Amino acid sequence: MKTLTLLRHAKSGWDDPVARDFDRPLNAKGRRAAKAMGRHMRTLGLAFDHVVASPATRVVETLDELSGGYGETIAPAWDRRVYLASAGMLLDVVRETPADAGLLLLVGHNPGLEDLVLLLVPDDGGALRDEVEEKYPTATLAELTFDIDDWADAAPAGATLTRFVRPRDVDAALGPERD
């Protein structure tokens, strides 16, 4: 049995005058959401044998804030392929995970993460899959399980979506702004 946890970076600052998208930092709400998600992950008892993340600034800052809420440092293997990756590329990254790692955390971007969930979970995957298909917000966590012994065997429609947690599920103040 393998467990894949996917985490989308927290909300970034579009108004920050950076030259490259790669360098875009989190905004204040993103920092709060990442920290809250870290606290929630600690409450759930989530742990990871292996962590892979995009090296984009907003992912690095998400993991820093998440670690603060989680109570320990989450130190990933930085993989540039995860930056704005397609579902196919992300699946390749998953399949390269060492077989002895049972709990993988992959931290990256949309639409790749959402597309990866939709690729891995069968169309009849239930209400949680429907929620993912509707929207995979920033700082949201999805947990998938596979009945496999080796990550190389991860296949489309081969996972069960066991958890989908948005920041607003943890703290209503982190939900979308209303006019």
Side-chain angles (χ1 to χ4, degrees), residues 7 26 34 51-54 58-68 72 74-76 78 105 107:
L7 179 69
L26 296 184
V51 181
V52 179
S54 161
R58 58 193 178 273
V59 174
V60 173
E61 291 181 356
T62 294
L63 284 170
D64 287 345
E65 296 294 332
L66 187 87
S67 292
E72 63 183 76
I74 296 175
W78 302 108
L105 173 62
V107 188

Side-chain angles (χ1 to χ4, degrees), residues 22 31 51 70 72 122 136 142 146 156 168-169:
F22 187 87
R31 291 182 183 287
V51 181
Y70 188 66
E72 63 183 76
Y136 195 127
F146 298 84
R168 70 176 178 222
D169 299 328

Side-chain angles (χ1 to χ4, degrees), residues 28-43:
K29 184 175 182 179
R31 291 182 183 287
R32 288 191 311 274
K35 189 165 278 192
M37 291 301 288
R39 285 190 300 270
H40 187 68
M41 289 167 62
R42 181 183 65 224
T43 299

